[in-house]
């Protein structure tokens, strides 16, 4: 059974940093797209960053230059390093995975097509 478990969320002041982790168990495909999403209260879910099995990364414009997605295949863990955090980054952050393709399709940020989701970790940024 595939399980994705996020951790690393918390409360920080504006300008601070956090690193989120997503530990995958029962899941070790040779091809995949894994991604981080976020959803703030009253807002739609937003794709933040995606990475494929070739380590090609994609980012939402709102986080480019501040967030970095990475993976440790040996630990089966996905990371999201978040720097220069802003109050508008406040949201529940989720990781997701799919192994239909060996790349993240152009529609990845919609969240459609991802088979597996974690339960989320809360990030709160105060001004």
């Amino acid at each position: 059974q595939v399980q994705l478990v996020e951790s690393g969320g918390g409360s920080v002041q504006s300008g601070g940093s956090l690193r989120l982790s997503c530990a995958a168990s029962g899941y070790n495909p040779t091809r995949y797209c894994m991604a981080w999403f976020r959803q703030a209260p009253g807002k739609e879910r937003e794709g933040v960053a995606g990475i494929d099995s070739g380590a090609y990364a994609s980012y939402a414009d709102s986080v480019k230059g501040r967030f970095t997605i990475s993976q440790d295949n040996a630990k089966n863990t996905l990371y999201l390093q978040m720097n220069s955090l802003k109050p508008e980054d406040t949201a529940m952050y989720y990781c997701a995975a799919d192994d239909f393709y060996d790349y993240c399709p152009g529609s990845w940020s919609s969240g459609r097509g991802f088979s597996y989701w974690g339960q989320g970790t809360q990030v709160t940024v105060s001004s």
Side-chain angles (χ1 to χ4, degrees), residues 3-119:
Q3 197 170 21
L4 303 178
V5 180
E6 302 96 334
S7 61
S11 297
V12 296
Q13 289 192 326
S14 182
S17 297
L18 284 172
R19 189 176 81 155
L20 305 184
S21 299
C22 173
S25 59
Y27 188 74
N28 194 12
T30 55
R31 63 180 191 186
Y32 57 82
C33 170
M34 295 189 74
W36 287 97
F37 294 83
R38 67 186 181 187
Q39 188 165 22
K43 294 189 177 182
E44 290 190 356
R45 182 179 60 200
E46 174 187 20
V48 174
I51 191 167
D52 63 25
S53 45
Y56 180 82
S58 303
Y59 296 93
D61 288 342
S62 58
V63 306
K64 280 180 181 176
R66 299 189 298 122
F67 290 10
T68 302
I69 189 171
S70 62
Q71 55 195 349
D72 185 331
N73 291 330
K75 295 182 179 179
N76 230 13
T77 300
L78 181 73
Y79 301 101
L80 184 68
Q81 178 66 44
M82 306 186 296
N83 298 329
S84 302
L85 282 162
K86 304 176 182 180
E88 51 263 44
D89 295 319
T90 296
M92 185 71 80
Y93 283 71
Y94 302 89
C95 71
D98 194 72
D99 52 13
F100 190 79
Y101 298 109
D102 60 0
Y103 61 93
C104 292
S107 62
W108 72 267
S109 61
S110 72
R112 290 192 299 270
F114 283 89
S115 300
Y116 310 107
W117 292 81
Q119 83 290 346

